Amino acid sequence: TIERQLSDEGVESTRRVLDFRFVAAPARARQVLGCDSVLRVRRLNLADGEPFALVTVWCPEQYGAELSRADVERSPFYELLPVPLGGATQTIGAALATAAEAELLQVPAGSAVLRCERTTRSIGEVPVLLSEHVFPAHLTVFEVDLPHVEASMAPTGLRLVE
């Protein structure tokens, strides 16, 4: 996790939960998770007290029913879910911070951000989490390892969008 990476670098990582509630699944969460009710957790991740990510997680009610606000403030969802995790698909794109995001991330409104959507699956390939991560672009890079030289060195998954 990013928290472990920061800790290894001597940086104190904390989470501030901004919202913790069960809600009707928004359209995207319903589409990805296949359920009508979700636990929605919105949090601000901090490194040495400074915000570096705004994260919203949608978890099917059946998996989130036993979780508390203190649980998700203390530990990553990956350590809390009662199902073994298999993998995730993450889409990362450039965007501009909304006024609300900018205020929380302490950047000017309209600042460049990296917006990531991640779908985490169980070992059985069932989607168990949908999350959106908003990172200030001036603080964040994503590194892609290309271990084999190919005729084209474009990273897998790189595509143009409309």
Side-chain angles (χ1 to χ4, degrees):
T1 63
I2 187 70
E3 291 88 354
R4 188 167 297 127
Q5 183 182 29
L6 289 170
S7 177
D8 290 348
E9 295 172 7
V11 175
E12 180 187 13
S13 175
T14 55
R15 292 182 190 84
R16 183 175 0 146
V17 174
L18 306 172
D19 186 42
F20 178 96
R21 71 180 72 190
F22 289 92
V23 298
R28 181 69 178 144
R30 193 171 41 258
Q31 175 190 16
V32 171
L33 300 172
C35 62
D36 294 324
S37 181
V38 293
L39 170 61
R40 180 186 66 205
V41 176
R42 192 163 181 247
R43 71 175 193 256
L44 190 62
N45 288 9
L46 305 151
D48 284 341
E50 298 297 321
F52 73 87
L54 179 61
V55 181
T56 305
V57 180
W58 296 270
C59 176
E61 185 173 17
Q62 70 188 63
Y63 300 129
E66 300 298 318
L67 300 179
S68 71
R69 185 182 187 110
D71 289 334
V72 299
E73 200 160 68
R74 180 181 56 250
S75 300
F77 265 91
Y78 303 125
E79 297 173 4
L80 299 170
L81 288 178
V83 295
L85 300 178
T89 301
Q90 182 166 274
T91 303
I92 305 166
L96 301 177
T98 66
E101 292 167 342
E103 182 177 346
L104 289 166
L105 293 169
Q106 299 177 4
V107 297
S111 293
V113 295
L114 295 176
R115 191 174 308 276
C116 308
E117 181 186 275
R118 181 183 305 154
T119 301
T120 304
R121 299 175 302 280
S122 68
I123 287 178
E125 295 296 313
V126 175
V128 294
L129 292 176
L130 174 66
S131 56
E132 179 186 64
H133 309 249
V134 180
F135 300 97
H138 74 285
L139 294 177
T140 314
V141 297
F142 280 89
E143 185 174 303
V144 177
D145 186 22
L146 302 170
H148 305 288
V149 175
E150 301 288 334
S152 169
M153 288 300 290
T156 300
L158 183 64
R159 66 182 193 273
L160 296 179
V161 296
E162 294 180 20

